Each structure stands twice: as structure tokens, then as C-alpha cells.
Amino acid sequence: MYSEYLKRAAELARKIRDADEVVIVSHIDADGITSGSIAARSLERLGKEYRIDFVKQLDEKKIEELKNENPSLVWFTDLGSGMVHLMYGLNAVITDHHVPSATVPEVPLNARKTLTSFFEEVNKSEVLQLNPHLFGKDGAVDISGAGVTYLVARELDLRNIDLSALAIVGAVGDMQDSEALRLTGTNRFILEEANDHGFIKYHIDARFFGRETRPVYKMLQYSSDPILPTLTGDDRACRGFLTRLGIPLKRERWRRWIDLTHEEKKLILSELVKLILSMSYGHELAERLIGEVYELVNEEHGTPLRDAKEFATLLNATGRYMQAEIGFHVCLGDRDKYYKKALSMLNNHRKHLVSSVNIVREIGITKRKYLEYFHAGDRINENIVGIVASMLLNEDKEELPIIAFANSDDGNIKVSVRSPRSLISKGVDFSVIMKEASKKVGGSGGGHNIAAGASIPRGSESEFLDIVEEMIRKQLER
Ligand code: C5P
Ligand code: C5P
Ligand code: ZN
């Protein structure tokens, strides 16, 4: 089943072995940072010179810069596939899971002198990609950027199997476990390998964020998937809920989920199910309380590195603030200077998310027939507006996709969209909608069916919303 992936991975590995020095280009989110770290460690083990550049978006300008620099090889991780058409003249490998723009670069007009030279030029385009979409798989759930990068790394050297844990962190960071409440598809192959070799343990547990590090009442207070009616966002209500159940909040220190007894955990979960059902939120929401969780066996208990989801958030807390190098060093093993810095950034990130959600409540979310949206202007950082949209999406009983706008520091408008699963199963694809709607207003975009983004000119927001809405309507009709 995975043989076509592994065969392609081996081809990329050959190309990497042939290179003198490599420039890795990766994305600033958790999946991008883990991807970049897997690539970097495997190059180190090969004894190759490398440099790593983290970018928030791969644009034409960056590709031009790379062409001018002309390194022996560029390794794009967790990005690149959406820009393959522009890569003519680059020697590159791509390990990505975004929807590809092309299978090979477009040959520019001035290079197509005659028909034979055209074919020669096509063959000269040295870009090889490993991407689930090329095998008919859904890149939003089958495998992450870190996963495809890992498949190449393990072809390069079997010692790289220790990087499988990072591949799981990348997949969880991209929320690839969120649909089935467990990792599926090619992610499962990686998970079993990580488990067999003693790097990852998995089991069924509460899916709450912060099981390893947060006081239980806080874990409940900040729960956004699922939203806990009457509890989420209310510190006093969460303490009251636990106290009524006879669960001590504190012993010597605040008790975390990992400190509770099996009976206490069971009691909390069954009361939460009752609460959700009694508020007529339905069993789909209640079912999201429990799912598979992933533990990094070699990390210390009670640290954010022990749980894959918390590890991913720690990485987002660095990269989304343009300090991906800090997360990168943590992935490669630093537990000193960079790790301390990452921990303090994680603290800020959490506060920042809470205040950003409050800002949206202040601004208000506008509902339309097929979507809802908010415009954060300068008040929310463009790099986290997508995470904020994810958190708010789960609150909506009507199951509308949420479109978020924020001012970008390049003078444009950053768009993030997050969609309920139900729309995706009806055939809506936001990677297509973002790509085409942004193009119509003079911008660019892409991503995954369920989570995508774009950059559009200031002032085009309302025209853009009309186009998006019309496209959703059409896709639903089909
Ligand atoms: O660029 P990249 O693939 O790393 O980003 C994917 C983004 O999509 C992440 O921010 C992730 O949280 C989001 N996502 C989501 N819901 C899903 C799948 C992905 O919000 N079901
Ligand atoms: O930034 P955000 O987390 O909302 O991005 C969601 C997805 O959309 C990511 O996979 C990202 O790579 C993609 N995206 C894109 N073009 C943009 C912005 C985001 O393809 N201009
Ligand atoms: Zn990704």
C-alpha cells in the first residue's frame, strides 16, 4: 500500500545524496518546523552542508532569490508543491502535502525554441516531489509535511527512524487526527514504526489540550475541541464543576490530568458527556471528548514535549512569531537555552490566543448565508489568525465555515479559512476556493480542503467574500 510512496521517497533520497550542499526551505508552523528538523538531521547524518530558511509563505520573490543563489539542491519541506509551476531552472526536491500546482515546472516561453528543445527542457527541469495528492490521497489527513519528509529521511539512513516522533508531532500539529479522532492513512504506517521502535506510545484518553502541563480546571476552561457548554471560558464554573464531583483541585500543587486517578478521570468524562447531551449539543460533540493521544516516550512527564499536541503548540509558539529557529533547535534536542526561550514563548502564545479570541468577540462575527467572517484589522497577528479561526469554528452550531481577515505587514490582507468537516464531505474544497477567489481579486492562495488561506489586496475583502460565497454555493450544488 505504501510502496509507491517509498519508491518515490527513494528517488528523492538519491537526488539528495548526489547534492553537494543543500538549502532547506520550510514553513513556520509546527509541521513546517518538524519537517525542517527532520531534513536537517538527516543531512547532518549524511555529512552534508546545509542551511535552513523558514518562511511564512513561499512566494515568487523567494523562488527568484533561490534561483539567483543557485545552490546545488533546494529541499522544500511542508511547502513548495503549490509553486512547482514557477520552479523552472531550480534543482529541487519537495516533500509537501499541499495541493500541487503542477507535476513538473512550466518551461518559460523563451526556453521553448523548437519542439525538440521543448522536450529537452522539460526533462531538464529537475524538480522531484513526494506528495500524497500525486497518489490520489487527501493531503489534509493522509500524511503531513513532516511525514513525507520522514519517509525520505528513512530512505537516506535507517538511523533516522528516531525522527518518526517528530513526524507524529507534525501530523498532530496540522490536526490530521481531528477527523477520525486518531491518525489514519500513511500517518498510521509512521505511527506503528514509531511505536515499534519505542519512540511513541499511543492510547485512548481525553483529547483535551494540556493533559501533561495544565491544572485540570484550566484544561477544561480552555477546551475548544469540543467546546464544553457552560464551562469553556469560565474559570469559576470549571472549579465549581470539579469541586461538586468531589475532585480535589490541589494537593501540593495544582493537579493536572496526568495526576488524577483512573476513577476521577472516568467520573469527569461521564459528567461532561451528560452535560453536553443535556444542553442538546448532540452526541457528535460528546464523542469528540475522547480519542487517540500520542506520547513521546523519551521526553519527561509533565513537560509540553511529552504530548504530541502540546509539543506542536510549543513549536507554533516560536514559528508563528517568526522565531522558528528556536523551535527548530528544540526539535533537534536542545533542552537548555532554546528550550527555555520556547517555554516562555509558549506562555505568551497562550495569553495571546485568549486575548485574540476576546478581540473577535468584541469585533463580532458576521453571519452570511454560506459563511461567517470577522476582520481583525491590526488587532490580531496575521500568523495566528488561522488558529483563532480554528478555535472559534467549534462554537458554531450552524456549521458555517469561518473566514478570518487580518492586516498583513506586507500591505495586503491575510485570509484564513477553517471549515466544518460536514461541508468537506459534501464536496466543498477551500484550497480551490482560496486559490481561485484570491486570483480574481489580484491575490494568491491555497492550502487544504478543510483549512486554507490567501493573501489579497486591501479593500478587496467584500468582493472576495461575494466570490467565495458564490463558489461555496456552486460546489454544494454539484
Ligand atoms: O501549511 P500547513 O499544512 O502546515 O497548515 C495546515 C493548517 O491547517 C494548520 O494550521 C492546521 O491547524 C490547519 N488544519 C485545521 N483543521 C484540519 C486540518 C488542518 O485547522 N482538520
Ligand atoms: O495561515 P493558515 O494557518 O490559515 O494557513 C492555512 C493553510 O493555507 C496552510 O496550509 C497554508 O500553507 C495555506 N495558505 C496558502 N496561501 C496563503 C496563506 C495560507 O496556501 N496565502
Ligand atoms: Zn503541513
Side-chain angles (χ1 to χ4, degrees), residues 27 29 31-32 78 97-98 140 173-176 178 320 387 390 418 421 448 450-451:
H27 199 201
D29 69 359
D31 187 29
D78 191 36
H97 66 137
H98 291 89
D174 266 7
M175 298 169 74
Q176 299 201 316
S178 107
R320 298 260 183 189
I387 302 179
S390 293
R418 296 292 187 272
R421 274 164 284 275
H448 307 288
I450 195 163

